[in-house]
Structure formats: structure tokens, C-alpha cells
Amino acid sequence: MPIEFTHVPGKTADAAIPFFYDFAETATKLGLIEDGGFQKIVVDDSAGLLTNMDLAAQVLDCAASLEVVLTHWAGVVEPTVAARQLASMDRKSGGRLALRMISEPLNDDDAESRPVGHTVIWQRIDEYLVLLKRLWSNDRPFDHEGAFYSINGGYVPRKGPHGADLTIRMGGQSGTALKVAGRHADVFELAPGSIDEVRRLMERVRGAAAEHGRAGKLRFALPVRIHRGVAATGQKAIDLSGPPAQVALSLLAYAGLGIDEFMIVGVDTVREIATVGRETLALLRNSLARREHDAFQPGAYAPRGMLETRATS
């Protein structure tokens, strides 16, 4: 499968305006994102989960082909309600929705019912995802009484096109997080790090997935921040600067680990979107096509000299 590219929005040129809030400008940018070779876009607005769901619906209506990666967390919406809403969005979009489960809400207003303790948080996520999948696949109502959720007659009459196979994206580094991700994740979002650090985390994730017979079903995504000057703070990502050819060369080394997707951070203006799509992504895609039959050794094409690669937050 060829490498996919996901756009992770930040701020507009006016730092006070989030990416999605001037939707006339956003529509222009979505067109450029699609034309530039991106297949997906992340929605993770800091206003909270319900705003995320509204924005995701707008993007799905506006974009012709982009898959929307909806950032979501357990605890704000009951599983039955969430399952219906998500199935409806997936159905209306023709199957272009993915669910990105994170452990902590982006807005404190969404954290009122947050459980205490790392392990407990992940246990709730696990139960939440089990229920979503069951609601997306069951052909008759069911009852459930668990540690975090109680359901009486749970049923979603109109399923999405994916049913229970809606793509689930997760991340994390603790043993508890990897255990839950190994059970549920279709795409694992890696933490930034060196080639060796990323490789080791991938091995741990595959080991967790193997316990559920899913090691071969996992895909890996790596967040990457591309910039020409001083990197902005924000989502943790591999930090790349330099000419497009050198950035593409660095990404090629990570691709050799078996990464299926790069999540591109820090590319938000019209000019940046067009330039990165036309130059960096195209160079990487062409390089991968030329080498797809070669025996690629991870790290063999690591850039040297002026290109700086580091993990930032």
C-alpha cells in the first residue's frame, strides 16, 4: 500500500482564528489539501468534542474525497448516542470517517466525568470502544452493565457503511495504552523519536496486537512537522526543516520502517499547503515508487549535514 498523507491543521495566519473557523477560507484550503496529495485531515479543535463533531460534519460535506479523522474521547457522550451520531456521519459521507481516540479531552469542560488514574482511563476507553463496535454490528437490542457504562436495549438501527469496521486510531506509550490499542486500533499514531526509538515502539505495538491476533492488521502513522524557520509549538511531531528534497529524504528513512502514513503538522497557509504538496510529498511519493522493489534498509538513506531532525512538542 502506498504511503498516505494526513493534514493536521494548526492555526491560520491570524493566530487567534482556528483553522476551521473561517469556513470560506477553509473550503479553499481543503481543495488545496486534496489537490496536494493529502488523503486525510484531522479534526481536533480545542473547543471540545461536540464542536469536533460539528466541524467534522462540515468538512465531510465540503471535501470531495478527504477522509476525516475525528478526534474523540470517552466520557462526554454516552456510547449509544455516540454510535448513532458517528454511524450517521459515516453513512452520509460514504464511509470517509475515522475515529481518533485519545485519552485526555482537549477542553476542561469535557473533563468533568474524567476518571482518576491512568489505568482507569484506559479501562473506560476499552469498554467504550467495545460498546461502539457492538452497537455498530448488532442486529437486535442488547443490555450491558459494565464498570463505566450501563445500557438497556442498546441498538443503532441505521449502521454506517463500515459497520463495526470503522477505522479506529489510537496512540500511547505505556503498557496499559498499548494493551488497549493492540485490541482495538487499526492505525497506531506513533510518538516522535529517532529511527531506533520509533522502530522499538512499533515492535511493542505489534507485540500487543499479536496477543489479539491482530499484528498484521495494524498500520502506523507518524506525526511530522515541516517548516522553513523556527518550528511552532503544538502537537508532538518529528521536526524537519530544510529544502524539500532533504525533508523527503528524511521521511524516506522513516518510511523504511514500515510506516504507512505521515501526519503533516505546521502546514496551514495556502502557500505552505500548495508548496509542500507540490514539492515535498511529490518527491517522497516518487522516491518510494522507484524503490518499492528494492530491499530497503532502515536508516540507509538518513539525511546528513544541514537537515535537522528532532522530536519537538
Side-chain angles (χ1 to χ4, degrees), residues 60 65-68 86-98 160-163 165-167:
L60 287 167
S65 62
L66 286 175
E67 176 182 295
V68 170
L86 294 168
S88 176
M89 291 174 63
D90 191 38
R91 188 173 61 251
K92 290 179 180 178
S93 70
R96 290 186 292 122
L97 182 69
H162 288 120
D165 294 326
L166 183 77
T167 298

Side-chain angles (χ1 to χ4, degrees), residues 75-104:
V76 181
V77 181
E78 288 298 313
T80 303
V81 176
R84 289 191 181 120
Q85 292 175 329
L86 294 168
S88 176
M89 291 174 63
D90 191 38
R91 188 173 61 251
K92 290 179 180 178
S93 70
R96 290 186 292 122
L97 182 69
L99 195 63
R100 180 175 181 246
M101 292 297 302
I102 61 175
S103 59
E104 294 291 327

Side-chain angles (χ1 to χ4, degrees), residues 49-50 53 72-83 85 128 149:
L49 186 149
L50 298 179
M53 297 182 81
H72 193 80
W73 50 91
V76 181
V77 181
E78 288 298 313
T80 303
V81 176
Q85 292 175 329
Y128 186 80
Y149 298 104

Side-chain angles (χ1 to χ4, degrees), residues 146-162:
F148 303 96
Y149 298 104
S150 177
I151 293 178
N152 182 25
Y155 183 63
V156 175
R158 300 188 66 193
K159 318 292 187 186
H162 288 120

